Amino acid sequence: MLSIISFVGFTALVAIIAWYATRKTDETSAEGFYLAGRSLGAITIAGSLLLTNLSAEQIVGLNGAAFKEGLMVMAWETLAAVAIIFGAIFLLPKYMRSGITTIPEFIETRFDKQTKALLSLLFLAAYAIVLLPTILYSGSLAFSTMFDLPQVLNIAEWKVIWLCVWSIGIIGVIYAIYGGLKAVAVSDLINAIGLLIGGLLIPIFGLSLVGDGSISEGLSILWNDNPDKFEMQGAVDSSIPFGTLFTGMMLAQIYYWGTNQSILQRVFAAKSLKEGQKGMLLAALVKFIIPIVVVVPGILAWHIFGENLGNPDEAYPALVKKVLPNAFVGFFAAVLFGAVLSSFNSLLNSSATLFGFDLYKMYFNKNASEKQTVKAGKRFGLIVAAVSMLIAPFIVYAPDGLFSYIQQSLGSLSVPILAVVLVGVFTKKVPALGAKIVLIAGVALYLISLIIIEPYFRDAAVSEAIANGINDPDQLSTIKAEAYPHYLHVMGFLFVFNILVMLITSKLKPKTDTYTPIITDAVDVKPWKYTIICGIIISILVIGTYIIF
């Protein structure tokens, strides 16, 4: 009963504070609804960035990956810090000088309206088909496991997942569509603090359990009993072979933190470039220590449950249920609920932004007022939410686990989008034709590689090995991995290919008018003088991690 009271109480408290903080923001204007009136400071931006990223699919998925493979999966977190620094130093100043609201809006000024519309469609496809459903599914799986809902409600787990997905989805729709960005950002800050506190309690209580009351003893036991789980360099047949850190892994990170609309919308809402850069660097520093929350619990779960846990994605919620005292369960459930809503809200708000600004005014109502544009965006957000809620429960059938499904699916979009944005930022003569070719062909080539070519070569290699009398599982795993490049390497190859296509297009059919960046006075674009120094320090910390382990 205490856990239920604390869950309801903390959730209500966040909602009341968010309402109070946003009561004077004009949500009917585009800048008020989408950019929080350009009023966010560094700490609020950092909190919003972290919680937008650190939702249930991240916590559940990465801890599930750590349960299987150990510390090496923390590369998804530590390398994110480097990507955030890259964005803060090289990309954010160019974005904010243009006073843009969305990345596709920047693409329109650099290329043309058709390229912008194509980019917006790719973003919306990623949100509706991949990101929103995985957020809803992982949150539902966490609540179902933590509170043993199938037994409590006396219904099948499949039905519980459906019930949780639609409950979270409906609440998220009300929060995001009818609250605007500032309500999302304010609740993000509160929940980010709660999530860090609650997330740190899990490994503390877990280590205490393993060490029979001693955290240091628990850490020693965990380290000594599971040495293979503390290897940072992934083998060729792992989910992150070491070489991929320098190819597709880094590209995926720069795409997410440097071109992803749901992330950058927080930074675009900054009071100034200085506040935006400080917010991003603070987020980068916290990302460096986040593995304590999203990786260590997975290793603890392996030590405690071992092979007894059938689904690795259940590792984190099962550990929470095992180690947390009842008094903390409701609080942490409320924080996790806030994290799920945060990512869901953020993507839904971004979907409304993209549709309203980039598609509605271009193809449906060219003379639409701001109120009409915001209203259309909200309506479209309802459609996206409904689609994602219908898809979410079926992710239970993803063959390689939740986190791998997310990364492989997004690879089809991240590489061509990143290539187009970077070429748009750093060149002036590449024409819109080159960007359009890449956005279409880049997606198609990746999907052909992932769905057709890769399975063919891997299956053929394994069949040949078995025919030659090789039956050792480890040998077969290595042979299968070496038969075709890892999907992160494929992303690296395609990125170079996409860049070359655009550069060749600029030689064959150069842009007739040289692109001149637009300079705006909508926001103070004076950079923070310590950005580069702080970026170098954080990067050294990341490199040090790999040297130590």
Side-chain angles (χ1 to χ4, degrees), residues 95 100 102-120 123 259 358 416-425 432 435-436 439 511 515:
Y95 292 152
I100 60 174
T102 70
I103 290 297
E105 182 187 343
F106 164 74
I107 291 301
E108 179 186 10
T109 61
R110 173 60 182 84
F111 295 109
D112 62 16
K113 289 184 178 180
Q114 287 76 29
T115 309
K116 178 187 78 167
L118 192 56
L119 192 66
S120 295
F123 274 129
T259 69
D358 302 334
I417 290 174
L418 177 62
V420 168
V421 172
L422 291 183
V423 166
V425 168
K436 290 171 188 171
L439 288 176
K511 190 175 174 68
Y515 167 67

Side-chain angles (χ1 to χ4, degrees), residues 144 147-156 159-161 163-164:
S144 176
F147 300 115
D148 201 11
L149 292 181
Q151 184 174 340
V152 172
L153 300 175
N154 196 27
I155 56 177
K159 293 181 179 178
V160 170
I161 295 295
L163 179 64
C164 290

Side-chain angles (χ1 to χ4, degrees), residues 114-336:
Q114 287 76 29
T115 309
K116 178 187 78 167
L118 192 56
L119 192 66
S120 295
L121 285 172
L122 290 179
F123 274 129
L124 290 171
Y127 294 166
I129 299 171
V130 182
L131 294 175
L132 284 166
T134 54
I135 290 165
L136 291 173
Y137 167 74
S138 55
S140 300
L141 180 67
F143 286 116
S144 176
T145 306
M146 281 169 61
F147 300 115
D148 201 11
L149 292 181
Q151 184 174 340
V152 172
L153 300 175
N154 196 27
I155 56 177
E157 185 174 357
W158 175 249
K159 293 181 179 178
V160 170
I161 295 295
W162 274 94
L163 179 64
C164 290
V165 161
W166 281 83
S167 299
I168 295 169
I170 290 169
I171 294 170
V173 164
I174 295 169
Y175 214 154
I177 299 300
Y178 298 104
L181 180 61
K182 193 168 183 181
V184 175
V186 171
S187 59
D188 277 356
L189 178 60
I190 303 165
N191 279 313
I193 296 169
L195 189 68
L196 284 174
I197 295 171
L200 288 169
L201 288 177
I202 305 300
I204 288 172
F205 283 116
L207 289 170
S208 180
L209 176 68
V210 171
D212 196 22
S214 170
I215 295 172
S216 59
E217 182 63 22
L219 186 59
S220 177
I221 292 171
L222 191 69
W223 179 280
N224 292 325
D225 289 3
N226 308 278
D228 56 319
K229 296 294 182 182
F230 288 91
E231 289 288 335
M232 282 288 286
Q233 296 188 20
V236 68
D237 59 343
S238 67
S239 67
I240 313 174
F242 184 68
T244 62
L245 302 186
F246 309 100
T247 57
M249 166 72 80
M250 203 66 241
L251 295 174
Q253 299 283 15
I254 295 173
Y255 157 77
Y256 185 86
W257 295 100
T259 69
N260 185 352
Q261 176 63 27
S262 65
I263 288 294
L264 288 178
Q265 191 167 339
R266 268 91 191 110
V267 192
F268 292 162
K271 295 175 183 177
S272 62
L273 172 59
K274 181 180 177 180
E275 289 297 307
Q277 288 180 318
K278 286 196 289 185
M280 289 186 78
L281 288 170
L282 179 57
L285 180 61
V286 177
K287 279 302 258 183
F288 175 71
I289 61 173
I290 283 292
I292 298 172
V293 175
V294 297
V295 175
V296 173
I299 301 174
L300 276 166
W302 169 260
H303 181 85
I304 294 170
F305 303 114
E307 301 286 354
N308 296 325
L309 205 60
N311 182 0
D313 287 331
E314 293 181 354
Y316 190 75
L319 184 69
V320 170
K321 184 180 176 183
K322 174 81 173 177
V323 306
L324 267 192
N326 288 333
F328 290 104
V329 170
F331 162 74
F332 190 73
V335 168
L336 193 61

Side-chain angles (χ1 to χ4, degrees), residues 48-81:
S48 187
L49 284 175
L50 290 167
L51 203 56
T52 297
N53 169 248
L54 194 66
S55 183
E57 86 281 3
Q58 189 85 352
I59 299 171
V60 172
L62 258 182
N63 275 302
F67 179 86
K68 289 190 294 184
E69 298 188 287
L71 196 65
M72 72 175 188
V73 301
M74 73 181 275
W76 287 109
E77 294 299 305
T78 52
L79 288 188

